[in-house]
């Protein structure tokens, strides 16, 4: 095809029309028809192609070879080890077929968002010297029947073609958010997704050990329980690797990786930051490092200091400081609410409060920062009840001082309800060991109210005995807007010595 065919045609058509009009031919119907055809073509192009096959493949961004290695992923030692072992199947394919072992077709990475599942898939491509083709489940969702299925076909074709072109023996196809297309199929009405899923299953069944390039599908989800059992059966995604939230050691190594290209002050202790960033995912830790460097730049400094990192933790946890101006009465209510949380936390877990502030951040008008906790994987009933009482402390304090609650307790109640649900599912309530689906809504409501009412009463009783602490701390908090853990504990100690 000549190089400038499109341009020549574009120039020729209007000239032809003008010439026809000059000859006295009625070109109006032709112009209308041409306009409609152009509009149709534009719509088809925007939708990803006139035919299903012309779609996603063309739109997908061509990725260069993956250069990311497993060493560049922090923590996740077990997941990395498991994945490497599974990938050895792809590398040692000759041995495998000699022993009659069927090829590994799919690896499912499950875990919360931002824990490094995509990084793992990229590192897998590097480790096996494969072509890396990535897509997201949502790319296959289309209103029109057959488009999603066509795109799956294209994805596999694209992977094979690229492997051949780049002279690679294997290709890794990564599908993020597989639950979007791989959700459980319900009998009866066929959905568009079902065809897409069927096509995926067919493509997986068509992967053979002796073909070149060999294809390995890696998928990621954080909702494994939603997936159709056909996807999970042996011979399909039969390797499941859990990519968990990092523990303290993992958090430190992720921070170290992202600190490599940043000028850290020699006094910075990443160990301490890893401790403070309790419950953070890899993506959040990356963000902490980034935000800390931004704080450093704002202050015209050349080294990231410990306080920049602490400020960045607050920002990632709660959102950026906002300019929301609260009036005096509202500010006082927020202060009482936050002190309610802080007093309950200090009573139930002495030494746990790190700071109480009235600075609005994200959605919150004030917040209590807690000291880093010990890494914990099991929770007792007492622990969970204490946690609920700390959450209810804000509302209970508002009731004490204002006789009623405000909308400021919404998030606290969500937290309390989630904990109650965990308790019910773990057999820690008077419902005993029960399948919650078999319990009626009334029974659940009754149990829920019983637990929360009782804990609310206990919270009120605790707080009523601490009116002194409220009064002393409130003054400082209203003036300074910040109360450090140490200052707060001083008020606590002093108030014990003072008559109530
Ligand atoms: P999602 O489920 O939302 O797709 P994901 O688990 O695939 O998330 P990634 O996309 O792999 O998460 O990670 C997002 C970013 O977070 C990465 O680009 C990286 O900067 C950082 N990150 C996450 N986990 C790690 C880790 N273990 N080591 C280093 N960086 C990490």
């Amino acid at each position: 095809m000549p190089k400038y065919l499109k341009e020549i045609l574009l120039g020729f058509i209007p000239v032809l029309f003008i010439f026809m009009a000059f000859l006295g031919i009625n070109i109006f119907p032709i112009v209308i028809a041409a306009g409609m055809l152009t509009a149709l073509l534009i719509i088809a192009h925007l939708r990803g192609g006139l035919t299903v096959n012309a779609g996603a493949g063309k739109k997908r961004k061509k990725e260069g070879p993956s250069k990311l290695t497993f060493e560049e992923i922090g923590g996740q030692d077990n997941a990395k080890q498991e994945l490497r072992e599974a990938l050895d199947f792809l590398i040692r394919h000759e041995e495998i077929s000699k022993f009659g072992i069927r090829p590994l077709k799919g690896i499912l990475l499950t875990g919360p968002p931002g824990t490094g599942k995509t990084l793992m898939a990229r590192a897998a491509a590097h480790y096996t010297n494969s072509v890396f083709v990535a897509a997201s489940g949502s790319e296959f969702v289309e209103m029109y029947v057959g488009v999603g299925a066509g795109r799956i076909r294209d994805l596999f074709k694209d992977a094979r073609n690229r492997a051949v072109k780049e002279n690679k023996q294997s290709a890794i196809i990564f599908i993020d958010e597989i639950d979007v297309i791989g959700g459980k199929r319900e009998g009866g009405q066929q959905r568009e997704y079902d065809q897409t899923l069927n096509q995926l299953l067919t493509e997986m069944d068509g992967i053979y050990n002796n073909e070149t390039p060999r294809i390995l599908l890696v998928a990621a989800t954080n909702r494994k329980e939603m997936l159709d059992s056909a996807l999970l059966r042996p011979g399909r995604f039969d390797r499941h690797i859990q990519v968990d939230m990092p523990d303290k050691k993992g958090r430190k190594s992720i921070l170290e990786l992202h600190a490599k290209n940043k000028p850290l002050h020699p006094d910075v202790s990443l160990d301490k930051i890893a401790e403070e960033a309790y419950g953070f995912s890899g993506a959040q830790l990356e963000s902490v490092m980034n935000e800390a460097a931004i704080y450093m730049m704002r202050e015209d400094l050349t080294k990231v200091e410990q306080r920049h990192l602490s400020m960045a933790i607050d920002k990632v946890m709660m959102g950026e400081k906002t300019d929301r101006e609260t009036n005096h009465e509202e500010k006082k209510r927020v202060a009482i609410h936050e002190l309610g949380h802080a007093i309950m936390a200090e009573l139930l877990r002495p030494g746990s409060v790190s700071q109480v502030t009235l600075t609005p951040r994200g959605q919150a008008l004030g917040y209590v920062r807690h000291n880093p906790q010990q890494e914990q994987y099991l929770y007792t009933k007492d622990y969970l009840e204490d946690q609920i009482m700390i959450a209810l402390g804000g509302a209970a304090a508002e009731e004490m001082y204002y006789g009623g609650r405000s909308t400021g307790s919404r998030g606290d109640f969500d937290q309390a309800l989630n904990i109650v649900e965990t308790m019910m599912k773990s057999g820690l309530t008077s419902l005993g060991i029960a399948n919650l689906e078999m319990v009626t809504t009334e029974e659940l409501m009754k149990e829920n109210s019983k637990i929360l009412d009782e804990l609310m009463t206990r919270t009120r009783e605790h707080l009523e005995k601490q009116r002194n602490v409220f009064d002393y701390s409130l003054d400082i908090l209203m003036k300074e807007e910040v109360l450090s853990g140490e200052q707060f504990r001083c008020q606590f100690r002093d108030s014990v010595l003072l008559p109530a």
Side-chain angles (χ1 to χ4, degrees):
M1 217 199 292
K3 207 172 158 192
Y4 298 110
L5 183 68
K6 211 161 86 186
E7 287 76 5
I8 293 170
L9 273 176
L10 277 176
F12 177 72
I13 290 169
V15 172
L16 182 71
F17 281 175
I18 294 167
F19 183 62
M20 283 162 81
F22 183 70
L23 292 182
I25 300 170
N26 180 9
I27 60 161
F28 194 62
I30 307 175
V31 171
I32 299 266
M36 283 167 71
L37 190 68
T38 314
L40 264 176
L41 282 172
I42 290 172
I43 292 171
H45 182 73
L46 289 177
R47 294 202 51 77
L50 195 57
T51 65
V52 286
N53 283 342
K58 261 192 216 162
K59 270 204 293 181
R60 187 164 304 111
K61 203 171 76 210
K62 284 257 182 296
E63 302 218 15
S66 173
K67 293 197 184 78
L68 191 105
T69 64
F70 280 116
E71 283 66 45
E72 290 164 68
I73 303 176
Q76 308 295 359
D77 292 342
N78 286 341
K80 283 195 286 190
Q81 181 59 21
E82 262 189 83
L83 184 57
R84 261 191 293 238
E85 274 170 20
L87 292 172
D88 286 339
F89 273 76
L90 197 69
I91 299 171
R92 296 163 62 194
H93 62 101
E94 273 166 15
E95 264 173 81
I96 286 165
S97 47
K98 207 162 70 197
F99 295 130
I101 300 173
R102 65 172 156 73
L104 183 68
K105 296 180 180 179
I107 299 176
L108 185 68
L109 304 175
T110 54
T115 42
K117 298 183 289 296
T118 311
L119 296 184
M120 292 267 203
R122 281 181 184 282
H126 181 266
Y127 183 73
T128 54
N129 191 22
S130 306
V131 161
F132 182 69
V133 183
S136 167
S138 47
E139 281 177 37
F140 304 100
V141 178
E142 279 291 343
M143 232 165 74
Y144 300 107
V145 178
V147 176
R151 287 189 183 160
I152 291 278
R153 229 174 294 133
D154 282 349
L155 183 67
F156 278 76
K157 212 162 76 187
D158 190 26
R160 287 193 173 96
N161 289 345
R162 277 188 47 200
V164 171
K165 215 155 95 190
E166 290 174 29
N167 219 357
K168 302 263 184 184
Q169 296 294 307
S170 50
I172 288 190
I173 299 177
F174 174 63
I175 304 184
D176 204 359
E177 301 173 20
I178 184 96
D179 44 284
V180 176
I181 48 167
K184 286 194 177 89
R185 286 172 294 185
E186 290 135 19
Q189 209 188 2
Q190 268 256 336
R191 296 166 307 163
E192 208 289 303
Y193 300 178
D194 296 350
Q195 285 205 18
T196 311
L197 175 56
N198 288 341
Q199 186 61 40
L200 182 64
L201 300 177
T202 313
E203 292 289 347
M204 287 187 87
D205 291 343
I207 299 175
Y208 300 105
N209 214 359
N210 49 8
E211 72 169 353
T212 311
R214 287 176 306 284
I215 303 279
L216 176 71
L217 205 59
V218 179
T221 179
N222 40 36
R223 294 188 296 176
K224 183 173 147 191
E225 68 291 344
M226 301 266 296
L227 295 183
D228 196 286
S229 52
L231 259 184
L232 303 178
R233 78 148 170 76
R236 298 219 178 107
F237 283 104
D238 49 8
R239 287 290 153 127
H240 301 177
I241 298 176
Q242 181 70 28
V243 188
D244 273 325
M245 288 297 237
D247 57 8
K248 188 184 154 199
K249 198 168 134 241
R251 291 198 293 276
K252 189 175 169 205
S253 73
I254 296 173
L255 285 168
E256 279 166 353
L257 280 172
H258 292 287
K260 268 189 189 156
N261 58 355
K262 306 208 172 50
L264 285 201
H265 194 280
D267 292 346
V268 165
S269 157
L270 288 184
D271 206 54
K272 189 148 183 289
I273 296 298
E275 206 169 271
E276 280 186 33
Y278 177 81
F280 276 33
S281 69
Q284 285 173 311
L285 293 167
E286 188 270 341
S287 181
V288 165
M289 271 295 163
N290 202 46
E291 294 298 335
I294 294 174
Y295 281 130
M296 169 203 79
M297 261 187 72
R298 273 190 204 158
E299 293 179 16
D300 268 340
L301 296 173
T302 50
K303 295 265 187 259
V304 177
E305 297 173 14
Q306 189 84 11
R307 67 194 168 85
H308 295 135
L309 286 156
S310 291
M311 277 152 64
I313 289 185
D314 279 349
K315 175 164 180 204
V316 173
M317 195 161 24
M318 308 287 300
E320 183 59 289
K321 280 185 193 163
T322 58
D323 299 331
R324 252 183 266 166
E325 276 288 325
T326 46
N327 60 39
H328 182 80
E329 204 34 54
E330 209 169 45
K331 198 167 153 190
K332 192 170 163 202
R333 193 186 260 272
V334 176
I336 285 174
H337 181 106
E338 296 309 328
L339 284 173
H341 288 307
I343 292 172
M344 285 311 291
E346 200 58 36
L347 282 176
L348 300 171
R349 297 192 189 131
S352 67
V353 174
S354 149
Q355 196 183 58
V356 189
T357 67
L358 291 189
T359 321
R361 255 181 199 282
Q363 289 301 308
L365 294 172
Y367 62 97
V368 179
R369 201 168 186 303
H370 297 273
N371 279 323
Q373 302 163 28
Q374 280 269 311
E375 217 75 41
Q376 203 167 331
Y377 303 99
L378 285 178
Y379 302 98
T380 60
K381 186 179 173 196
D382 285 345
Y383 182 94
L384 294 173
E385 285 184 346
D386 288 354
Q387 200 66 31
I388 294 178
M389 286 197 277
I390 296 171
L392 297 180
E398 282 188 56
E399 280 175 20
M400 266 168 62
Y401 281 83
Y402 292 96
R405 301 168 191 165
S406 67
T407 49
S409 306
R410 215 172 114 184
D412 302 333
F413 293 158
D414 281 345
Q415 197 192 341
L417 287 166
N418 282 339
I419 303 175
V420 173
E421 193 185 335
T422 307
M423 286 171 70
M424 285 178 175
K425 284 184 177 163
S426 315
L428 299 178
T429 66
S430 61
L431 289 176
I433 305 166
N435 178 348
L436 294 193
E437 280 172 24
M438 289 159 68
V439 182
T440 63
T441 317
E442 290 80 52
E443 275 177 290
L444 285 178
M445 280 292 294
K446 224 165 98 189
E447 184 63 20
N448 199 57
S449 307
K450 197 178 104 193
I451 297 171
L452 291 180
D453 289 349
E454 191 194 308
L455 291 175
M456 188 56 138
T457 311
R458 275 166 60 190
T459 307
R460 268 193 225 113
E461 283 166 9
H462 278 301
L463 291 181
E464 275 297 347
K465 292 184 201 146
Q466 306 298 336
R467 279 199 184 250
N468 271 341
V469 185
F470 269 110
D471 297 340
Y472 296 127
S473 309
L474 189 62
D475 271 349
I476 307 180
L477 202 50
M478 287 299 283
K479 265 190 231 127
E480 313 276 331
E481 298 199 344
V482 184
L483 187 65
S484 74
E486 266 320 302
Q487 273 176 308
F488 178 62
R489 274 180 282 283
C490 270
Q491 310 294 320
F492 236 91
R493 284 192 290 268
D494 292 350
S495 85
V496 178
L497 307 174
L498 291 163

